[in-house]
């Protein structure tokens, strides 16, 4: 059982957009026992798409093709499909009604061009698209399946989740002989190599049945455990056995598993301990508050933040002493501390955190280079600060300083 | 002249990471006349990589392969390369010194495992990696080139920009016969189909020599113009001719070109008009400030922001009247207005903007559904508000509300 993804679009080959659809689709196919063996991107070009279909149809149980289903002249997927399957297009009344109703909801009249989108291959099953005008197409031949979906993620994802994946699960549920699963262990504060050495002999950890892989990432290295067996219970046992051995050696560096987000983990800790948080930001420029508020329900513990981009606002809003800034500078241990205390007082929160630094590209000096960041924290009757050097990339420094602040806060709350 | 990208990594096939490297590489290869015709992702599997190399080496002028150069057991790219090129690995003293010095800078001792990274194929040229321990590999055969680079973006990108692309430009500068270029026109506030119809007959716009494509995106549809000719001057002329015809019909919806960012365009307008800005955020939770401060030099016009996640902070910091919130609610035209005026007064900025809404997933009512957002602006002696419905995805609503606020501010400043 295996699958393949074909992504169609000149804009991907030219580097104008990142192919994020493939990651989403891969993850879902893996979960129904159809691991992706290959992802190929080709242009909006009939011959290139046909060649790819000819080379791969029949080899994979399922091929998912995305892109090229739009209403304009550069969308050619449907015409390629009818050529490949020796089929023809027919007008589908129901699809047409769906398109009309979508325009009605938006309160705009339907451009004539969209009518063409109601044409679908005769021997296909239509996959409904409730978020856009391009229907998905499901075609089969000799028990092999080809599914064409729109390239717009907001349309593709619900179609995949609500129609394609349930249908595939049903279709292949009986033929499954092996269950494949994986689990990601998230670490921070240790390099890939040091982690590798800390774990020692990999075979002692995995045995003969499992695999582990190291994925350098941010805010730290991920360890992926892979296992397969005849049923889910046995797979889970194998994975938890490996996880236990990893934790025995590297527990100090592990902050979560799978899709866990540091901001969510910190949020859960705040809820658990019934604490509230406020943040004062200089170089992170609002990103700290933004990451925290990405978490649904964060209003329970996050009272708010001040982005004090000017010295005046640090003094006026956060009550940082003017002479502190004059003597030590806006990027200093002392200012970071007063910002943390100040924002905590301002919002009357249990915890106050601050980030001040030089995001660059300008503003660095020999003593205070671009990338220098001070993080401050005021909690209960104590305060602490941390100094970091995050390098010369502005956006990276913003992100790193926020992730580091979250990481410090997590440790403090534990 | 054409190129191909091979990405190696189980983590991509399993959907754990998005393949953002390929977009970056594609863009750079296009710029030196080596457009990418195919992008393929395969797993950390010797046979899969070898098959891909056998099927494509010789067909493309350049193949760039990323991933699998790390120090751990699952990194197999170098061993595959020596197999494919019938070569062998040798210890490279200079690469070893580079690895040692990298650890020295970080102030940590080198794990023994990293020594293996100094092994490179005998018949290769090393590409220096100043940000990591994995050297890049350049190999040639019959005038076709294969380049292996690490998969970590922070290492790969500088290696590509500083070594690979300049070398490729030099190598292929004489053999180039056609110059290919493209330009992206950025629009907002119009659907793909409506834009398509507004432009009318595509051939009238492009002539026989150019191509245009519509790319649905956010905050709006992008139009890509493609042209090629024997030299750059002629290509530029062709593109600007097409751009002129597009602008004649759709100027109202165009806010920029190519990599222009709305936050940068707004920043430039503020600088040009010598105005300062502050923002008050509720549902966007800091993202507005964060996007503005992504722009280098934004401290010239951005004074700061308040993320007032609680009603108390709206009242205390932004001086929103308690009875306004009681009567109209925190998500209302009236509160949005008072927040904009309040933050402008607080920071003494020329412009004050506000965003308040229901990001969800909870907190919606029949009258005020999840996704409802009010945007407010206070500028000179006037104020205005705008109401939008952005749907039920929390992160999308955050982003859409900020982009809409920027879009409104841009129009106001013009």
């Amino acid at each position: 059982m295996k699958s393949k993804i074909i992504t169609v679009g000149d804009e991907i080959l030219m580097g104008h957009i990142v192919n994020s659809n493939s990651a989403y689709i891969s993850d879902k196919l893996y979960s129904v026992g159809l691991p992706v063996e290959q992802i190929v991107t080709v242009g909006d070009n009939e011959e290139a798409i046909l060649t790819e279909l000819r080379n791969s149809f029949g080899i994979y149980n399922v091929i998912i093709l995305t892109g090229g289903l739009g209403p304009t002249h550069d969308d050619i997927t449907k015409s390629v499909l009818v050529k490949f399957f020796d089929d023809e297009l027919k007008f589908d009344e129901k699809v047409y009604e769906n398109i009309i109703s979508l325009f009605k909801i938006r309160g705009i009249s339907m451009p004539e061009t969209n009518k063409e989108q109601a044409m679908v291959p005769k021997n296909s099953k239509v996959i409904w698209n409730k978020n856009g005008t391009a229907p998905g197409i499901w075609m089969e031949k000799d028990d092999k399946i080809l599914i064409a979906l729109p390239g717009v993620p907001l349309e593709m994802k619900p179609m995949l989740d609500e129609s394609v994946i349930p249908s595939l699960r049903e279709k292949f549920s009986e033929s499954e002989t092996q269950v494949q699963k994986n689990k990601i262990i998230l670490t921070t504060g240790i390099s890939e190599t040091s982690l590798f050495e800390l774990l020692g002999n990999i075979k002692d950890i995995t045995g003969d049945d499992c695999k582990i892989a190291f994925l350098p990432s941010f805010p730290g290295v991920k360890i992926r455990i892979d296992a397969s067996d005849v049923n889910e219970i046995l797979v889970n046992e194998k994975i938890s056995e490996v996880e236990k051995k990893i934790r025995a050696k590297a527990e100090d560096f592990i902050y979560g598993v799978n899709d866990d987000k540091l901001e969510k983990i910190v949020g859960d800790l705040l809820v658990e301990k019934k604490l509230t948080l406020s943040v004062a930001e200089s170089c992170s420029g609002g990103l700290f508050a933004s990451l925290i508020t990405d978490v649904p329900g964060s209003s329970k513990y996050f009272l708010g933040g001040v982005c004090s981009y000017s010295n005046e606002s640090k003094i006026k809003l956060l009550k940082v002493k003017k002479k502190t800034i004059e003597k030590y500078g806006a990027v200093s241990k002392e200012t970071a501390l007063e910002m943390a205390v100040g924002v905590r007082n301002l919002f009357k929160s249990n915890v106050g955190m601050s980030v001040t630094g030089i995001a660059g590209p300008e503003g660095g000096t020999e003593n205070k280079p671009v990338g220098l960041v001070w993080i401050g924290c005021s909690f209960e009757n104590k305060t602490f600060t941390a100094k970091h050097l995050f390098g010369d990339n502005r956006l990276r420094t913003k992100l790193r300083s926020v992730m580091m602040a979250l990481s410090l806060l997590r440790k403090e709350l534990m």
Side-chain angles (χ1 to χ4, degrees), chain A:
Chain A
M1 299 279 290
K2 57 186 183 178
S3 64
K4 170 168 176 157
I5 300 172
I6 302 174
T7 317
V8 176
D10 286 344
E11 65 274 23
I12 300 174
L13 294 182
M14 289 177 177
H16 295 314
I17 62 166
V18 169
N19 181 5
S20 60
N21 280 346
S22 291
Y24 192 86
I25 298 169
S26 300
D27 181 45
K28 302 289 173 170
L29 286 175
Y30 189 92
S31 73
V32 289
L34 285 160
V36 173
E37 271 203 359
Q38 201 180 50
I39 302 169
V40 174
T41 304
V42 293
D44 297 304
N45 173 300
E46 181 173 298
E47 208 35 52
I49 305 172
L50 273 176
T51 302
E52 207 48 45
L53 286 176
R54 283 185 197 123
N55 289 344
S56 48
F57 193 83
I59 297 175
Y60 302 88
N61 302 79
V62 174
I63 295 176
I64 294 195
L65 188 155
T66 60
L69 290 174
T72 63
H73 67 294
D74 49 324
D75 294 299
I76 59 169
T77 293
K78 282 191 294 194
S79 68
V80 172
L81 289 185
V82 295
K83 203 167 231 178
F84 179 70
F85 285 101
D86 198 12
D87 198 358
E88 56 187 292
L89 293 175
K90 65 154 207 268
F91 183 78
D92 189 307
E93 196 63 46
K94 275 192 174 171
V95 173
Y96 186 54
E97 281 167 20
N98 183 51
I99 296 171
I100 290 176
S101 78
L102 279 166
F103 278 96
K104 219 176 230 168
I105 290 169
R106 298 186 212 163
I108 41 181
S109 64
M110 189 190 86
E112 194 55 30
T113 313
N114 284 98
K115 192 170 176 180
E116 193 277 328
Q117 294 195 287
M119 300 294 286
V120 297
K122 245 184 181 168
N123 298 313
S124 69
K125 207 176 72 184
V126 166
I127 302 162
W128 293 101
N129 181 353
K130 60 180 188 188
N131 297 301
T133 53
I137 308 288
W138 178 301
M139 299 184 87
E140 286 190 38
K141 197 174 170 181
D142 304 333
D143 224 33
K144 305 296 181 194
I145 301 169
L146 186 134
I147 299 158
L149 297 172
V152 179
L154 284 177
E155 299 177 23
M156 184 281 288
K157 290 178 182 177
M159 292 166 82
L160 189 76
D161 294 345
E162 292 158 26
S163 303
V164 175
I165 293 296
S167 300
L168 290 176
R169 184 175 285 128
E170 199 178 320
K171 194 162 178 83
F172 290 109
S173 61
E174 281 166 30
S175 59
E176 267 178 57
T177 50
Q178 282 289 94
V179 177
Q180 271 196 311
K181 275 186 87 171
N182 62 38
K183 185 168 188 176
I184 309 272
I185 310 292
L186 304 166
T187 76
T188 187
I190 183 167
S191 77
E192 183 183 6
T193 320
S194 304
L195 189 60
F196 181 63
E197 296 193 350
L198 182 66
L199 294 186
N201 189 321
I202 298 296
K203 271 275 165 267
D204 288 347
I205 289 179
T206 59
D208 290 327
D209 290 344
C210 298
K211 282 202 325 185
I212 66 172
F214 296 84
L215 318 175
S217 175
F218 191 77
V221 182
K222 300 175 180 178
I223 307 171
R224 191 190 65 234
I225 309 168
D226 289 292
S228 68
D229 211 315
V230 290
N231 68 51
E232 197 160 346
I233 297 169
L234 290 174
V235 175
N236 288 343
E237 273 175 15
K238 277 185 183 171
I239 288 178
S240 85
E241 193 60 36
V242 175
E243 181 178 355
K244 214 185 291 172
K245 288 182 187 162
I246 293 173
R247 286 190 181 270
K249 298 194 170 181
E251 184 70 46
D252 279 359
F253 304 100
I254 296 169
Y255 72 86
V257 298
N258 296 330
D259 293 331
D260 282 352
K261 301 267 184 215
L262 198 45
E263 56 271 27
K264 172 80 167 62
I265 289 170
V266 167
D268 289 345
L269 281 170
L270 289 166
V271 170
E272 184 193 320
K273 295 181 184 294
K274 296 192 175 62
L275 297 171
T276 57
L277 171 70
S278 62
V279 300
E281 307 184 59
S282 185
C283 73
S284 55
L287 184 62
F288 197 175
S290 186
L291 262 182
I292 293 167
T293 60
D294 277 354
V295 181
S298 46
S299 55
K300 282 193 209 86
Y301 49 83
F302 183 62
L303 301 187
V306 169
C307 174
S308 54
Y309 229 52
S310 61
N311 284 344
E312 293 70 41
S313 59
K314 290 185 186 72
I315 296 165
K316 188 179 157 191
L317 270 78
L318 299 172
K319 310 296 177 203
V320 174
K321 290 187 209 86
K322 199 176 169 196
K323 76 167 191 240
T324 303
I325 293 179
E326 281 166 2
K327 190 168 172 190
Y328 303 103
V331 180
S332 64
K333 180 189 175 101
E334 292 75 12
T335 300
L337 258 188
E338 292 187 22
M339 284 170 69
V341 172
V343 80
R344 185 180 167 192
N345 288 335
L346 185 65
F347 284 92
K348 306 217 182 311
S349 59
N350 302 109
V351 187
M353 288 216 65
S354 68
V355 179
T356 180
I358 301 152
E362 283 167 20
T365 64
E366 203 173 324
N367 283 333
K368 295 187 178 180
V370 167
L372 171 68
V373 172
W374 278 96
I375 296 167
C377 180
S378 164
F379 176 39
E380 292 176 340
N381 51 4
K382 65 186 169 196
T383 55
F384 68 84
T385 56
K387 178 188 172 181
H388 287 274
L389 285 164
F390 290 127
D392 61 0
N393 180 304
R394 182 178 180 88
L395 301 191
R396 197 172 70 197
T397 294
K398 282 181 68 173
L399 185 59
R400 283 188 168 178
S401 54
V402 170
M403 294 309 276
M404 185 52 75
L406 283 169
S407 193
L408 290 169
L409 180 54
R410 173 181 159 269
K411 281 194 184 150
E412 189 59 30
L413 293 174
M414 302 248 299

